[in-house]
Amino acid sequence: MSQNHLVPSIKETELKENQMKAVRVKGKPILLIRKNNQIFALQNRCPHMGCTFETGILRDYQVMCPCHGWKFDIRDGKYQENPATTIETYNCIIQNGKIHVQIKNK
Ligand code: FES
């Protein structure tokens, strides 16, 4: 049976509007993004060749991989050119001033 765990990461104040930050949560590379005062968390590893996204470009709700320009929707992790290719997304909540990421335990 799988369970979800809320794992604390950085302080909420460390992530400004339109900022992207790479963190590790339970050993997983995760990209945190604040957009329109909502926090998004994505797998921080591009399925193309494994680059990380934190130095990519954030435009509206899309992040562009800095290596070869693949674009992903930060809301559902879908690759723009082929929605069958996705990166993992995680729920986040703020508790005690910290961003907590919901990680599935298998
Ligand atoms: S590694 Fe991301 S587009 Fe190539």
Side-chain angles (χ1 to χ4, degrees):
M1 193 165 78
S2 74
Q3 264 189 314
N4 289 325
H5 284 279
L6 281 173
V7 184
S9 62
I10 58 173
K11 285 185 197 161
E12 186 212 350
T13 51
E14 291 179 65
L15 191 66
K16 311 280 181 235
E17 179 68 17
N18 286 317
Q19 199 180 9
M20 304 195 282
K21 212 161 225 188
V23 296
R24 280 206 168 251
V25 180
K26 281 210 152 186
K28 289 179 190 288
I30 288 180
L31 184 72
L32 297 175
I33 303 167
R34 189 190 289 266
K35 182 82 193 168
N36 291 331
N37 215 22
Q38 241 190 306
I39 295 175
F40 299 88
L42 312 171
Q43 163 194 331
N44 195 13
R45 186 173 157 77
C46 183
H48 180 219
M49 290 181 75
C51 288
T52 57
F53 298 115
E54 68 275 10
T55 58
I57 295 171
L58 179 66
R59 193 162 288 142
D60 296 324
Y61 286 97
Q62 273 189 343
V63 63
M64 184 170 86
C65 181
C67 290
H68 316 98
W70 285 26
K71 292 179 192 154
F72 297 87
D73 192 310
I74 64 171
R75 295 166 292 190
D76 57 16
K78 288 191 172 139
Y79 172 42
Q80 186 192 22
E81 301 296 319
N82 177 5
T85 299
T86 60
I87 54 174
E88 204 160 342
T89 57
Y90 304 89
N91 290 329
C92 291
I93 62 162
I94 294 167
Q95 255 179 9
N96 303 323
K98 282 196 159 184
I99 299 169
H100 287 63
V101 183
Q102 199 169 41
I103 299 285
K104 272 188 211 131
N105 267 7
K106 288 180 189 151

